[in-house]
Amino acid sequence: MERARQANSAGRKAAPVSDHHTLPVHEVVLLLETDITKGLGPGQVSRRRSQFGANMLPRSKRGGMWRKLLRQFNNPLVYVLLAAAAVTGVLGEYLDSGVILAVVLVNTLIGFVQETRAEAALDALHSLVRTAAVVLRDGQRQEIPSEDLVPGDLVLLEAGDKVPADLRLVRLSGLRVDESALTGESEAVSKDEVVLPVGTPVADRRNMVYSGTLVTAGTGEGIVVAIGGETELGEIHRLMGAVQTVATPLTRKLARFSSTLTVAILALAALAFAAGVVRGQQPAETFTAAVALAVGAIPEGLPAAVTVTLAIGVRRMARRRAVVRRLPVVETLGSTTVICSDKTGTFTENQMTVRALWTPSASYDVSGSGYGPAGRISAAGKGAPEGAAVEPESTQDAALYWSLLAGGACNDAKIVLDGQLWQAQGDPTEAAMLVVAGKGGIDVAEFLAANPRRGTLPFTSERQYMATLHSPALPGQGGTVLVKGAVERVLELCGTQLDPSGRPAPIRRQEVLEAVHGLTRTGLRVLATAMMHLPKDAGPLAEEVLEGRLTLTGLQAMLDPPRNAAAASVRACHDAGVGVKMITGDHVGTALSIADAVGLRTSGEGSRALTGSLLDAIPEHQLPDAVEQTNVFARVSPEQKLRLIGALQSRGHVVAMTGDGVNDAPALRQADVGVSMGRSGTEAAKEAADIVLTDDDFATIEAAVEEGRNVFDNLTKFIVWTLPTNMGEGLVILVAILIGGTLPILPTQILWINMTTAVALGLMLAFEPKEPGIMSRPPRKPDRPLLTWVLTVRIILVSVLLVAGTWWIFELELAGGASLAEARTAAVNLFVAVELFYLFSCRSLTRPAWRVGVFANPWIVLGVVLQMAGQLAITYSPLMNGLFHTAPINLKPGCGSSASRCLPPWLLPWTSASGEQASRRSRGDAASGPLGPVCGRENGLRWAT
Ligand SMILES: Nc1ncnc2c1ncn2[C@@H]1O[C@H](COP(=O)(O)OP(=O)(O)OP(=O)(O)O)[C@@H](O)[C@H]1O
């Protein structure tokens, strides 16, 4: 009573989550005011929805944001900069200290924004893979988005489902659940309805199932007792703070690379500082120069660029209907060497239409297309619709009647009229069989009303058939068993075949197999049907009951046309050096025929196709050879898929594998790229997959491989662009320290170059479109380093060019009578100009810069414009001149050092060259600058203005 009061009064916490396992079902029903046979009514649902909200895990709280912001400070470069700011502050150079701090702040904010955006992009992906739940509401079975579940809903579960909320089980049959997501226990647990004592730990609550766990076998029904953040999963989510990271092996490798580099550069900077001091240079100035060296040489933009490039790749893939669930896979995709794909729905449309029927005494054609009722059954060869329509009950062929009935009644699909279009709900194979039963005049609903279903052996890929028991009497009273399934499997169970008069006769297997061969040769998918009568005391429906006792009634052959784009995609994969293999549960004849239609290579050294049973007969050491040389595998079970992947991986292949069933999960995990089907896949398969295809199409896998390659290209481009920049900056300063000369670029100016060019120029490379011919080169070897020696030489050359150019312009300006500030400004501008031109060279790693369309990547154009505006500002704006110790420079030779004589008149009001005072400042010969007195070059290392 006390419990019930709590339950009805306290919002989302209404049903004390931890208590439901201690209550008998009827109390839970009372508590949650629901109905165990009809579920909730529409009014109850909408009321509870507004009271309890959506069934979603809460988004990360603001605390997460602060943590993320603070994380940005945890970076060696920031430490170096903070140290530099402190030292310059202590030295009284407050302006410089302020500039450095501002740069730290801006850098942090940029990092924060980038990380937030990348995470938001990934978050958005989750909503693309929506989880559905099947509920009973108002007596109607409905499929709804799991967000719409409310407490009290009656949820129906079957193998492959992801449990959408915390449920108290009310009915179940052989229900087993994988709770590893919650308890870490990898073995699936059996469930039952018994009431449990108070204090039973979550892992032992057999009468409950929890949100986020997976049903591996059986069926069940449960009442929703907790949703969203109130579920056990929500609790864990809250405890962990649910921080989504964007780390992948590559980002980790690069982060390691940058930190090693950082340590090396810091050591070098320390050495340079020591060398400078030993040689008698001013410690304070040498320290600042050493900081400039460190700041310049550390490639601080690298981790951010990697994250952004990956996030952009993931977004592009989502646009092409491949939703990435695990980020590291984006890298792996680019190295994929073999794609193992199933057939139904991936290479084919999964739009089934029964075209031919066979019974032990006759063959029939079926007319009509799609799932519409229009169409007829006529004797084979006579042609429909001219041929006489068959009305099974009035014809002499009883086997046809029983075959159509088995197809229609041993069936969970539905056909609905959606506008003008007849649509299949449920398994397309079953929908096709339901339609043909209608074309044959069978009233399935009438049969079911008179002979309700008393038992079911559901279809699974292992069982390969489905059986239902129907009887007009009470359960356990015998009746009729109807079966449909894979031909080989059903034949194993049959001892007889039905003759036209409806009497069992000895089965003629050879004849049946010949008929199957004839039908599959044209690419039709063939299922067999069978039946048996059970005596009154036969007990419940079980596999053993059927062994050898079924009577074959016929074959149904359906057309599932190959997808339009499949052949082109297979060709593209072959051009890209990626092998394509079909691994299907279907008959070998059907598989081969579709394989030929989509252009899979089925001739050559290996056998044309291997079936699951042949695979089992191949010794382990010969398997890799056999698997490598064969492209079609038929009647393969999920366990055999695991063997296939292992064999390919042992040959160094990087394997992408598709799967949709609950038992495909291990294979999807074992594959380098696990791909599951968004439409037809079970939740278990989606959960195990790295990528979910929202359209189930093979072409999408090919598109994902292409995008994966592009991500790698763009990352390489960024690295090839950024490393010379950093090396160049570091070397410019190192040379200055070593020769004891004046710094041609000041630390704050280096900061300017680094921060602006990385964002405005470098990051824009992440948006580069695909290189032409990206799919006509072989896959990247997974162990190949990011930088080949050609690229390394290129990086060194550009670094040297940058150093030489910077020193050259600096010396030239000084020799021409320019002030230090002017000479440095020229050096900064030259440095940025070289980077800018080099950016264009990095846009393609295979083509010369002029062959890449300038506007192919509009972001680059925007970045260049922004960077140029920034350079104008730092050169000519008095404020920036003051902050960065720069000065307006002359654009024409022979102008002398006063910009006022050289600049176009419209620029003058914006420059510091408009007045006498500014002119003096621009020369850098003011009596004192923000960092102390003016120094001559001959006095050794100087970085003051
Ligand atoms: N709903 C069903 N009821 C009974 N038998 C079925 C059903 N669906 C498929 N089958 C039979 O079981 C076989 C294996 O099915 P499975 O789902 O493993 O693979 P598939 O659908 O043929 O092809 P793929 O593996 O390419 O998706 C099918 O070829 C078919 O003969």
Side-chain angles (χ1 to χ4, degrees):
M1 201 50 218
E2 173 56 20
R3 254 188 223 123
R5 221 179 21 251
Q6 275 179 355
N8 291 330
S9 62
R12 201 186 272 211
K13 288 232 185 234
V17 177
S18 49
D19 277 4
H20 291 98
H21 61 285
T22 63
L23 305 178
V25 170
H26 68 268
E27 266 195 50
V28 178
V29 170
L30 265 179
L31 206 83
L32 289 148
E33 295 173 13
T34 184
D35 185 321
I36 197 168
T37 48
K38 288 180 24 203
L40 296 174
Q44 282 175 304
V45 171
S46 59
R47 239 174 295 123
R48 291 182 192 199
R49 181 70 208 258
S50 50
Q51 187 184 356
F52 297 117
N55 176 29
M56 286 191 311
L57 288 180
R59 297 206 163 266
S60 27
K61 300 265 159 52
R62 284 186 59 215
M65 297 291 256
W66 282 111
R67 261 205 300 278
K68 200 187 321 170
L69 193 64
L70 287 179
R71 251 206 326 270
Q72 310 297 325
F73 288 93
N74 183 16
N75 165 339
L77 177 81
V78 173
Y79 304 154
V80 172
L81 288 178
L82 290 179
V87 172
T88 37
V90 168
L91 291 177
E93 317 294 1
Y94 300 120
L95 192 61
D96 277 20
S97 180
V99 169
I100 297 175
L101 284 178
V103 165
V104 170
L105 212 64
V106 170
N107 190 33
T108 309
L109 282 178
I110 290 177
F112 175 76
V113 169
Q114 275 164 353
E115 200 177 311
T116 310
R117 289 196 53 187
E119 285 177 7
L122 295 180
D123 266 356
L125 295 182
H126 292 299
S127 59
L128 291 178
V129 190
R130 287 192 184 279
T131 315
V134 179
V135 289
L136 210 61
R137 281 183 179 171
D138 214 17
Q140 297 289 318
R141 196 187 143 102
Q142 302 176 17
E143 193 174 295
I144 58 166
S146 53
E147 279 129 71
D148 292 350
L149 280 178
V150 293
D153 256 327
L154 187 64
V155 177
L156 314 184
L157 297 171
E158 61 177 38
D161 285 353
K162 182 170 169 183
V163 178
D166 287 359
L167 313 177
R168 166 68 160 95
L169 293 166
V170 295
R171 271 185 289 259
L172 53 87
S173 138
L175 190 69
R176 289 176 66 78
V177 178
D178 171 356
E179 296 189 333
S180 53
L182 204 63
T183 61
E185 169 62 54
S186 56
E187 197 63 10
V189 253
S190 293
K191 294 288 176 179
D192 56 39
E193 302 117 313
V194 289
V195 177
L196 296 167
V198 178
T200 311
V202 173
D204 295 336
R205 292 183 196 161
R206 294 185 317 250
N207 57 10
M208 300 279 299
V209 285
Y210 292 100
S211 179
T213 58
L214 293 166
V215 180
T216 58
T219 54
E221 288 175 31
I223 298 175
V224 174
V225 298
I227 60 168
E230 296 305 316
T231 58
E232 290 294 329
L233 187 73
E235 190 61 27
I236 292 181
H237 186 81
R238 204 169 20 246
L239 291 178
M240 295 200 318
V243 183
Q244 162 124 45
T245 61
V246 284
T248 75
L250 180 73
T251 51
R252 278 193 287 266
K253 218 158 50 188
L254 283 173
R256 259 203 311 276
F257 169 72
S258 342
S259 27
T260 321
L261 206 65
T262 305
V263 172
I265 290 165
L266 288 180
L268 188 70
L271 270 179
F273 172 69
V277 174
V278 168
R279 292 176 54 169
Q281 287 158 8
Q282 283 260 339
E285 288 168 4
T286 317
F287 175 81
T288 323
V291 168
L293 167 71
V295 170
I298 296 172
E300 67 282 346
L302 201 53
V306 176
T307 309
V308 170
T309 313
L310 283 175
I312 291 173
V314 165
R315 225 177 18 225
R316 282 184 180 165
M317 284 185 199
R319 239 180 269 141
R320 297 182 75 176
R321 293 190 276 275
V323 178
V324 172
R325 293 192 69 249
R326 289 190 240 294
L327 204 57
V329 82
V330 181
E331 298 159 19
T332 324
L333 271 170
S335 325
T336 303
T337 56
V338 180
I339 301 174
C340 296
S341 170
D342 53 15
K343 168 184 72 73
T344 311
T346 324
F347 284 120
T348 65
E349 298 271 8
N350 209 3
Q351 294 279 324
M352 313 269 179
T353 318
V354 176
R355 279 295 158 86
L357 298 165
W358 177 96
T359 65
S361 58
S363 301
Y364 304 88
D365 290 336
V366 183
S367 67
S369 63
Y371 296 110
R376 290 169 151 214
I377 299 173
S378 55
K382 294 253 179 88
E386 300 83 44
V390 174
E391 284 163 14
E393 277 163 305
S394 63
T395 65
Q396 300 304 304
D397 197 352
L400 181 62
Y401 168 78
W402 282 104
S403 177
L404 292 174
L405 185 66
C410 174
N411 194 315
D412 287 327
K414 266 195 208 147
I415 306 291
V416 289
L417 190 59
D418 184 2
Q420 299 284 305
L421 214 64
W422 291 93
Q423 301 271 26
Q425 270 184 3
D427 181 355
T429 303
E430 297 195 345
M433 295 178 99
L434 195 58
V435 170
V436 79
K439 287 177 184 172
I442 309 277
D443 190 336
V444 176
E446 192 184 13
F447 171 82
L448 288 176
N451 303 273
R453 196 193 280 191
R454 307 284 180 196
T456 309
L457 291 176
F459 169 77
T460 64
S461 289
E462 289 74 44
R463 187 180 282 141
Q464 294 197 1
Y465 68 86
M466 171 176 176
T468 48
L469 168 64
H470 304 265
S471 77
L474 291 169
Q477 298 291 298
T480 307
V481 177
L482 299 175
V483 175
K484 69 176 193 320
V487 180
E488 297 89 324
R489 188 72 189 104
V490 175
L491 272 184
E492 274 171 24
L493 301 173
C494 288
T496 50
Q497 64 186 36
L498 208 63
D499 76 10
S501 60
R503 273 189 304 270
I507 191 159
R508 293 198 295 274
R509 289 176 202 277
Q510 198 47 41
E511 259 178 40
V512 182
L513 291 176
E514 276 164 23
V516 172
H517 183 67
L519 292 166
T520 56
R521 215 176 27 208
T522 52
L524 295 178
R525 171 182 173 85
V526 182
L527 273 83
T529 54
M531 52 89 66
M532 72 182 282
H533 293 296
L534 274 186
K536 279 195 171 188
D537 52 357
L541 183 59
E543 291 200 25
E544 311 75 70
V545 178
L546 310 180
E547 296 291 340
R549 293 169 64 192
L550 286 180
T551 300
L552 181 79
T553 51
L555 303 174
Q556 300 200 9
M558 50 196 84
L559 180 72
D560 178 17
R563 283 183 181 268
N564 282 337
S569 301
V570 169
R571 226 177 8 256
C573 285
H574 287 160
D575 291 345
V578 179
V580 182
K581 296 185 190 295
M582 177 190 283
I583 301 188
T584 174
D586 210 341
H587 187 272
V588 62
T590 315
L592 271 172
S593 160
I594 298 290
D596 288 339
V598 299
L600 286 197
R601 294 170 188 146
T602 52
S603 54
E605 276 183 39
S607 48
R608 246 168 85 67
L610 281 175
T611 57
S613 41
L614 279 176
L615 269 178
D616 281 343
I618 299 178
E620 207 59 38
H621 68 278
Q622 287 175 6
L623 195 66
D625 264 342
V627 172
E628 219 173 18
Q629 288 167 11
T630 310
N631 287 334
V632 177
F633 300 87
R635 293 287 191 231
V636 173
S637 71
E639 295 79 55
Q640 287 162 340
K641 281 189 181 178
L642 264 183
R643 274 189 88 208
L644 284 175
I645 298 177
L648 286 167
Q649 285 174 334
S650 74
R651 280 294 162 88
H653 282 294
V654 176
V655 185
M657 162 78 78
T658 66
D660 48 14
V662 57
N663 297 311
D664 285 333
L668 291 177
R669 285 202 197 96
Q670 159 102 25
D672 300 281
V673 181
V675 185
S676 93
M677 305 300 151
R679 287 193 195 158
S680 61
T682 55
E683 294 301 330
K686 287 185 212 163
E687 200 75 0
D690 302 299
I691 290 187
V692 177
L693 308 182
T694 57
D695 59 358
D696 296 11
D697 191 345
F698 179 78
T700 308
I701 310 178
E702 185 251 321
V705 169
E706 195 174 306
E707 291 298 342
R709 289 183 172 200
N710 192 35
V711 165
F712 236 90
D713 277 1
N714 288 353
L715 271 180
T716 314
K717 288 173 196 174
F718 180 81
I719 290 171
V720 170
W721 175 83
T722 195
L723 287 187
T725 313
N726 295 110
M727 276 178 75
E729 284 167 346
L731 282 176
V732 164
I733 308 289
L734 190 66
V735 169
I737 299 178
L738 293 184
I739 63 171
T742 311
L743 288 181
I745 303 180
L746 292 175
T748 44
Q749 293 166 349
I750 287 212
L751 280 181
W752 164 266
I753 299 178
N754 264 3
M755 300 304 163
T756 56
T757 59
V759 176
L761 303 180
L763 267 187
M764 302 306 178
L765 287 171
F767 296 95
E768 274 304 309
K770 284 177 289 291
E771 298 259 353
I774 195 167
M775 287 298 271
S776 41
R777 57 182 199 224
R780 199 184 70 88
K781 292 232 173 3
D783 50 357
R784 200 185 78 181
L786 220 53
L787 293 181
T788 55
W789 70 268
V790 180
L791 294 180
T792 314
V793 169
R794 175 168 163 172
I795 289 170
I796 293 172
L797 275 179
V798 178
S799 314
V800 171
L801 185 76
L802 273 168
V803 178
T806 310
W807 275 100
W808 168 75
I809 191 95
F810 180 65
E811 294 291 341
L812 192 76
E813 282 288 306
L814 287 179
S819 70
L820 253 183
E822 285 170 338
R824 281 175 176 149
T825 311
V828 168
N829 277 305
L830 183 99
F831 201 100
V832 171
V834 174
E835 275 190 61
L836 200 147
F837 281 108
Y838 182 51
L839 179 78
F840 282 88
S841 144
C842 290
R843 289 188 58 199
S844 170
L845 298 170
T846 50
R847 290 169 301 157
W850 58 89
R851 301 284 298 278
V852 184
V854 173
F855 293 101
N857 178 2
W859 292 98
I860 288 268
V861 181
L862 177 72
V864 167
V865 170
L866 283 178
Q867 185 67 47
M868 290 197 339
Q871 290 312 117
L872 280 176
I874 197 176
T875 310
Y876 296 111
S877 133
L879 176 71
M880 301 287 267
N881 289 163
L883 288 177
F884 290 94
H885 315 302
T886 49
I889 47 172
N890 304 328
L891 299 177
K892 288 182 202 155
C895 295
S897 56
S898 169
S900 54
R901 277 180 278 135
C902 304
L903 288 177
W906 58 269
L907 251 181
L908 284 178
W910 306 100
T911 72
S912 58
S914 52
E916 184 54 30
Q917 190 193 357
S919 168
R920 233 194 0 258
R921 190 171 56 226
S922 77
R923 294 181 56 80
D925 45 9
S928 72
L931 288 176
V934 176
C935 307
R937 302 179 58 226
E938 63 281 5
N939 293 343
L941 179 65
R942 295 290 179 262
W943 70 301
T945 48

